[in-house]
Amino acid sequence: MEKVKIFLCQGCEISQKIDLEKLKKHFNSLAQVQSVETLAQLGDGAAREHLNGVEGALLFGACDERTHGSIFKFLAGGNPYQLVNLRERCAWVHDNKSEATLKAQRLLSMGLAELVTREHLTEWDLDLLERVLIIGAGPAGLACSRALAEQGIDVVLIEKSNRLGGTLRRTRTVWPSGEDSEKLLHRLYDGLQDKLHVTVYQETELVNLEESLHGYEVKLSNDAEEEVGAIVVATGVREVGGNLFEFEYRWRDRGKFRGPLAFEVKEGVHPFLLETAFWDAVMLRHEKPEERIVFFMPESVVLPEGFKEGAEKHNIEIIRGSIPGGVTGVTGVTGVMSLRPECKLRVIVKMPRRGTGVTGVTGWKGAHVKLGKLVGNLSENLAQALRIPQDTNGYLAQRRYRIRPRDVVHPGIFVVGGAHTPMPMEETINHAFVVAARIKALFDTKPKRLPGAQIDEEVCIGCGYCAAVCPYGAPILERTDTGHKARMSPRFCTLCGLCIAGCPVFAISDPVKSRDTIKAQIRAWGETS
């Protein structure tokens, strides 16, 4: 390989904490190095002008790859390069200048060893088709569909039920703005099909997903087949073990409410559910100022900010403890019934007659609403197909801190709204708009990817370790004539190295940083004195 040009940044306390002249003298003496230069700021316009037209391998000693990686990638142009973080790893963590300089020399030596020994592979373009599949036609799915369609992107929207709207169908008003739910639903949906030409499939689910050169080939339960460049998961949330959403739905349809109301709050309730119930209570208080409304909750439940003050303002009681003596009157939801095993479950809500009230220790006679557990509505099978990691409650599991809230590590797959985490309606819609903008940017920038980790099928024993530890679902076990073998998806692999480090038979390798490169880096660290 040709000799390496080294550029050292003097900014961000690097020149004050590290002896850059000593580093220049040391690296200029090495046979692999052509030149060593120091610049005031590697990230400013002067540095870009200075490096314009420079050719050959480049080694930068500056700041963090996470925060400034794109800048140095631009500075390098098409040249092979390596960025070594001297700021956070040396200048900002060492007060002793000699110790900081020694560590900087070791890190630069390791970077140099990697640069001269690794394979330099060409990134491949993700030529994504500008067509998006959106799973779920609730508020997030509708908002994202509209935002994408208004930017001229083809959209296919699927909904597994026979009605669009999701949670907007279950409430009368939107929390916390107070906007009418039906008006918001019409604002999101009207003109979606006839004017914006969004393809809408109801009572339809995703049944199969295959990677393609331009994104993903999907097969739907209605036998339709589509090729899309991006997929948005907007499957929302559902309540388990409670009846708050069902209460909202029935209350909205009937338009009337009579009798006292008790909200039963269990330990560990999600704050979003508690705030939603409080909003319902406030709305009821405005309509029925004479009715008694009480929240029963354990001492361990932490109230959201402003909850107690709002309850006092609207004459809503908060009682620490369970409902006295249980519920002896008509409850808000009488239960789940099934006439025959083959019948679908149906929930019946009965409102109590006027005149019922609190009977003291004998029990609560009135409407009774239980706050259950909020869980993500994304099925496990669909999550596995899309390689979306889920936490114990079915939401997007942020397994790596570098993932920003509106991103998923796989190119072209996004999770939006309640499927990401429970959030108020306004935030859900804003979240959908932001995701739509990111999808548009993804299509416009023509992203590139390096090849993924490589698996030697002859060496692989099919133990499944790689599939178990990968946070992105890149390795998949497949049955072959010689037993189970792992296959790596280059689209999903980020070269994080977990599978490579843990493979018991060394069947997985990094196409860029080989084991020889790692050994060279270790030697470079040890040889530095």
Side-chain angles (χ1 to χ4, degrees):
M1 183 179 179
E2 58 186 308
K3 291 188 176 182
V4 177
K5 302 178 181 69
I6 301 178
F7 297 92
L8 304 176
C9 181
Q10 296 176 325
C12 301
E13 302 182 36
I14 293 177
S15 60
Q16 288 83 8
K17 296 292 185 67
I18 299 173
D19 190 342
L20 297 182
E21 290 301 319
K22 184 176 180 179
L23 294 181
K24 286 179 64 176
K25 181 178 179 181
H26 169 75
F27 286 101
N28 272 322
S29 66
L30 301 181
Q32 307 102 313
V33 177
Q34 178 177 329
S35 62
V36 184
E37 296 183 49
T38 56
L39 297 175
Q41 288 284 351
L42 277 178
D44 62 9
R48 296 179 184 182
E49 184 177 347
H50 182 78
L51 273 79
N52 185 30
V54 173
E55 296 182 354
L58 308 178
L59 177 62
F60 299 112
C63 43
D64 192 3
E65 174 77 29
R66 293 173 300 161
T67 57
H68 292 74
S70 59
I71 295 176
F72 288 95
K73 185 176 182 178
F74 176 81
L75 289 175
N79 298 308
Y81 77 99
Q82 184 69 23
L83 174 60
V84 176
N85 186 0
L86 301 183
R87 186 180 67 179
E88 280 88 349
R89 295 186 178 183
C90 302
W92 286 4
V93 294
H94 289 282
D95 293 327
N96 187 296
K97 192 169 186 176
S98 60
E99 291 179 356
T101 303
L102 176 60
K103 187 174 180 181
Q105 183 177 329
R106 285 177 165 170
L107 292 176
L108 287 168
S109 298
M110 292 180 70
L112 179 63
E114 178 176 350
L115 195 56
V116 299
T117 60
R118 77 182 184 192
E119 294 287 338
H120 296 284
L121 301 177
T122 303
E123 294 177 318
W124 49 282
D125 293 328
L126 285 176
D127 187 15
L128 299 175
L129 185 70
E130 293 196 14
R131 187 173 175 84
V132 181
L133 172 69
I134 298 180
I135 306 172
L142 291 173
C144 195
S145 298
R146 176 169 289 277
L148 288 169
E150 288 176 348
Q151 297 179 85
I153 297 174
D154 291 337
V155 177
V156 178
L157 175 64
I158 64 174
E159 167 60 43
K160 69 178 182 179
S161 71
N162 60 0
R163 300 181 75 191
L164 307 181
T167 53
L168 290 176
R169 294 284 188 185
R170 297 196 297 259
T171 58
R172 292 197 297 173
T173 56
V174 175
W175 174 78
S177 67
E179 182 178 359
D180 183 86
S181 298
E182 286 193 11
K183 291 182 179 178
L184 176 59
L185 177 58
H186 284 294
R187 185 156 56 88
L188 293 175
Y189 177 71
D190 288 352
L192 206 61
Q193 290 180 269
D194 54 350
K195 294 183 180 179
L196 297 175
H197 308 295
V198 173
T199 302
V200 179
Y201 296 126
Q202 292 175 246
E203 298 183 281
T204 303
E205 297 183 69
L206 175 66
V207 296
N208 192 44
L209 171 74
E210 297 288 343
E211 299 172 38
S212 70
L213 292 175
H214 304 292
Y216 305 94
E217 293 178 353
V218 298
K219 185 174 182 180
L220 306 178
S221 59
N222 61 357
D223 294 330
E225 295 184 358
E226 303 279 355
E227 187 174 15
V228 296
I231 298 175
V232 177
V233 177
T235 49
V237 298
R238 58 189 172 91
E239 187 183 13
V240 176
N243 62 299
L244 177 64
F245 288 168
E246 185 66 22
F247 170 77
E248 289 182 329
Y249 177 76
R250 298 296 181 179
W251 168 41
R252 169 180 173 165
D253 278 2
R254 292 182 179 227
K256 293 182 180 180
F257 176 81
R258 284 181 161 187
L261 173 64
F263 288 95
E264 183 181 358
V265 182
K266 298 292 186 180
E267 188 173 356
V269 64
H270 197 285
F272 173 79
L273 203 61
L274 189 57
E275 290 174 339
T276 302
F278 178 72
W279 173 252
D280 290 340
V282 172
M283 295 300 295
L284 285 167
R285 170 59 68 226
H286 287 310
E287 294 187 10
K288 300 291 181 180
E290 74 282 0
E291 301 291 3
R292 185 181 182 190
I293 302 175
V294 185
F295 279 84
F296 292 93
M297 63 183 70
E299 291 284 352
S300 58
V301 173
V302 178
L303 295 176
E305 184 178 357
F307 190 98
K308 184 178 180 180
E309 294 78 6
E312 293 176 353
K313 177 181 178 181
H314 296 284
N315 193 26
I316 297 171
E317 300 176 52
I318 300 175
I319 298 178
R320 294 290 188 172
S322 58
I323 298 179
V327 180
T328 62
V330 181
T331 62
V333 173
T334 61
V336 179
M337 303 179 181
S338 180
L339 300 180
R340 295 186 301 275
E342 64 272 16
C343 289
K344 292 185 177 180
L345 296 180
R346 61 191 181 96
V347 182
I348 301 176
V349 179
K350 295 181 179 179
M351 299 300 180
R353 295 190 303 271
R354 179 177 296 277
T356 57
V358 181
T359 59
V361 296
T362 60
W364 173 268
K365 291 184 178 180
H368 173 217
V369 178
K370 290 184 179 180
L371 274 60
K373 181 180 180 181
L374 275 185
V375 297
N377 211 21
L378 177 62
S379 69
E380 185 177 348
N381 290 338
L382 183 56
Q384 290 177 353
L386 297 171
R387 269 78 153 198
I388 295 176
Q390 291 179 295
D391 61 17
T392 55
N393 292 321
Y395 305 120
L396 173 65
Q398 306 261 344
R399 297 189 182 181
R400 300 193 70 177
Y401 67 95
R402 289 185 296 176
I403 304 176
R404 288 174 290 182
R406 294 165 183 84
D407 288 340
V408 177
V409 292
H410 317 314
I413 295 183
F414 298 83
V415 180
V416 64
H420 191 288
T421 190
M423 59 184 70
M425 188 64 67
E426 290 178 334
E427 186 177 343
T428 294
I429 294 173
N430 290 336
H431 192 188
F433 290 157
V434 171
V435 166
R438 296 196 68 81
I439 293 173
K440 176 62 174 173
L442 178 72
F443 291 155
D444 290 345
T445 55
K446 306 296 183 184
K448 298 177 179 292
R449 290 295 293 267
L450 282 169
Q454 298 173 348
I455 301 177
D456 188 335
E457 289 190 7
E458 294 184 0
V459 180
C460 177
I461 59 175
C463 66
Y465 176 85
C466 54
V469 300
C470 179
Y472 314 115
I476 300 176
L477 279 182
E478 294 182 338
R479 186 181 295 277
T480 67
D481 295 337
T482 58
H484 283 93
K485 298 291 183 180
R487 178 179 65 84
M488 186 68 66
S489 167
R491 184 183 299 277
F492 293 105
C493 178
T494 63
L495 287 177
C496 68
L498 288 176
C499 62
I500 299 172
C503 179
V505 293
F506 306 105
I508 310 176
S509 59
D510 187 327
V512 178
K513 184 185 290 188
S514 66
R515 297 185 186 276
D516 290 337
T517 297
I518 296 173
K519 291 177 182 177
Q521 288 185 287
I522 295 173
R523 287 195 298 271
W525 176 278
E527 291 171 358
T528 303
S529 59

